[in-house]
Amino acid sequence: MAAKLKKGDKIVVLAGKDKGKEGTIASVDPKAGKAIVEGVNVAIRHVKQSQNSQGGRVPQAMPIQLSNLALLDANGKATRVGFKMDGDKKVRFAKTTGDVI
């Protein structure tokens, strides 16, 4: 199945402790059905000091389930993603506005 959400998409969180927060997808793991979103689902990780980095308590974005994310359309509202054929190419579009993403 084609990916509905991809790296670089602007999204909004639909459920969980960060409900309503907006962010950009940093990476997607389609096999696990999870994505890492900048500034969402942040946890504190304790990192050991090395020659290159200071170490200490470092905030890190943790993966969030794809079903809890929705794409933001041109109006800044959550929308579902659909697919249509544009010539001989399959393209994604926002269901609410019909704009090609």
Side-chain angles (χ1 to χ4, degrees):
M1 190 172 120
K4 294 192 176 205
L5 298 175
K6 296 183 178 182
K7 179 179 176 179
D9 285 346
K10 296 233 180 238
I11 58 95
V12 63
V13 180
L14 300 176
K17 67 176 184 175
D18 293 323
K19 181 177 179 177
K21 284 190 180 177
E22 298 177 2
T24 306
I25 295 181
S27 67
V28 177
D29 182 8
K31 190 171 184 179
K34 295 184 180 246
I36 295 178
V37 181
E38 297 166 2
V40 175
N41 198 25
V42 176
I44 300 294
R45 293 288 172 234
H46 294 79
V47 179
K48 198 172 192 177
Q49 184 176 357
S50 67
Q51 276 187 326
N52 301 333
S53 64
Q54 175 63 33
R57 298 179 62 197
V58 178
Q60 183 180 14
M62 302 303 289
I64 188 168
Q65 193 71 30
L66 286 174
S67 62
N68 293 335
L69 305 176
L71 190 70
L72 284 175
D73 63 0
N75 301 331
K77 295 191 177 185
T79 182
R80 291 179 297 169
V81 178
F83 294 95
K84 64 181 176 183
M85 296 301 290
D86 185 25
D88 58 345
K89 288 181 68 177
K90 188 177 185 181
V91 294
R92 299 182 308 155
F93 72 98
K95 292 267 190 164
T96 55
T97 60
D99 295 336
V100 175
I101 304 166

